Amino acid sequence: MTSFRPAPAWLSEAVFYQIYPQSFADSDGDGIGDFNGITARLDHLAWLGVDTVWINPCFASPFRDAGYDVADYLSVAPRYGTNDDLAELVAQARRRGIRVLLDLVAGHTSDQHPWFTAAADDPDDHRYIWASGGRPEGFVRSPGSRPGAYLPNFFDSQPALNFGYARMDPAEPWRQPVDAEGPRANRAALRDIMDHWLRLGLAGFRVDMAHSLVKDDPDRGATAAVWTELRGWLDATHPDAVLLSEWGDPAVSVPAGFHADFFLQFGGPTNGGPLRSLWNNGEGTDDTRWDPVDCFFDPGGKGSARTFVEAWRAARAAIGEAGHIALPTSNHDFSRLNCGPRTSEQLPAASAFQLTWPTLPAIYYGDEIGMRYIPGLPDTEGSVLGPRYNRAGSRTPMQWDDSANAGFSGAPADRLYLPVDPDPRRPDVAAQRADATSLLHLVRRLIALRKATPELGPDGSVEVLHDGYPFVYVRGGRHLVVINPRSTPAVFATDVAGGASPRALEAHGVEAGRGAVTARAFGYGVFDLRPAPPSD
């Protein structure tokens, strides 16, 4: 494994919060969220205990893929404000102890990026992947005077940047090696882009489709080498900055140079099996290519935590001390926890697990109050990827209070980026702030408990006692965690408490002691196995 500078100390204590900027808070009444809106809501994040924010792409874009089609990496999109507004957001976040990461789209640009419009008329430009004669399968016809076609990375409007091919093929003469002029220029451009924003106070990047750079790269080895080179530069130039990857295979991406990678709904040897085995109930964003799986967090009790635990163990063994695995509640491409038949009473147990397992927790905006996935929305900026895969349902406006548009925007309802959840019982921040028994307060307490208890962080040990119902594990040799996501009680015999009654730190519907743990429906508990300190 390549030797890197150790990850910044702050990372192991981080609690991430993902903000989809067009849906978080609108300050100017145009129906689209913006930087000033985020800045005005930073106190919510500080109160919650979040210390690291990741903002989805906010660069200039025609928004055919919600900003993942970048037209200028060094300028922000006017819909969000100005570069100065972003700088003020970063400064205000820093005052509250919150770091800000941007989303770096490394593998492709918009077809409106000046790099591409120039390349479309210049046969000697190799910044993108071009086939000079004809139109090979998967390629898009050239829009300019240049003959041939270009390779897209996702939508046709997203031409793939040329980082070379891992293997040459005489039948495809357009393939270039990774050390050719175009790939070298693109690696240099990534350094320049990262350097620009890091010097302005950003704390790092979440890298979109990080696995996609080098083409025909079966084991991702050539792509990994690109990131290893970039990590070496980052360690030398910005040692306190971090790189998180959208790769979905921490065993490969972290040794390549990322400080952390997410378990995602795709990626790795089972195409996202570990995360989907936890959350995916077949509703919301569901890809027809995914293997069916009975998820563990389902009231029917058909699943098992074993799939996730075994994948986590394998990835942890491959990573060693090189970095971390991140576990999201959901994201902008995947269903929220509150999706389909899953109800609000099932969410606390999921939060208790996510915030006590030895991974970096990543809370998707609104999941702290139990916002739901909204089905049936129209295709919005490329949100629909298949007959059962509409990402818009996870991108609706943040629900702040019970005022018009849930406090997201002062615009007329028909001008909102996406409609607000129409359910009159929808959760909101204000109501849950006023209710000490709410999910919001639970998440806040769990974050505080995690921060005050190093054994509950990513570096603390874990011993799994039972991976069925209830899920039972011990953190750091002293904290017992019990999770029961099903709708019926569950019992597990264990003498881990030594016949005593351990002290409950955060529990609902769970009793531990006398040789067993008993969990009521949707129960959860975090216990200290040590005797309670003597009272004065």
Side-chain angles (χ1 to χ4, degrees), residues 138-158:
F139 280 62
V140 179
R141 192 173 308 281
S142 171
S145 60
R146 181 177 189 163
Y150 66 90
L151 181 69
N153 225 20
F154 197 63
F155 292 134
D156 287 357
S157 58
Q158 294 167 310

Side-chain angles (χ1 to χ4, degrees), residues 76-158:
V76 301
R79 63 159 55 169
Y80 302 128
T82 66
N83 284 22
D84 287 343
D85 292 332
L86 176 58
E88 179 65 11
L89 163 59
V90 172
Q92 291 293 336
R94 186 185 302 116
R95 292 188 181 99
R96 293 163 173 81
I98 299 173
R99 292 175 170 85
V100 179
L101 279 66
L102 296 184
D103 205 313
L104 177 64
V105 184
H108 57 264
T109 70
S110 164
D111 59 5
Q112 295 184 27
H113 195 292
W115 292 346
F116 184 75
T117 57
D121 291 324
D122 183 359
D124 295 322
D125 188 311
H126 298 293
R127 190 175 285 277
Y128 299 87
I129 299 172
W130 290 86
S132 58
R135 183 184 173 187
E137 183 178 359
F139 280 62
V140 179
R141 192 173 308 281
S142 171
S145 60
R146 181 177 189 163
Y150 66 90
L151 181 69
N153 225 20
F154 197 63
F155 292 134
D156 287 357
S157 58
Q158 294 167 310

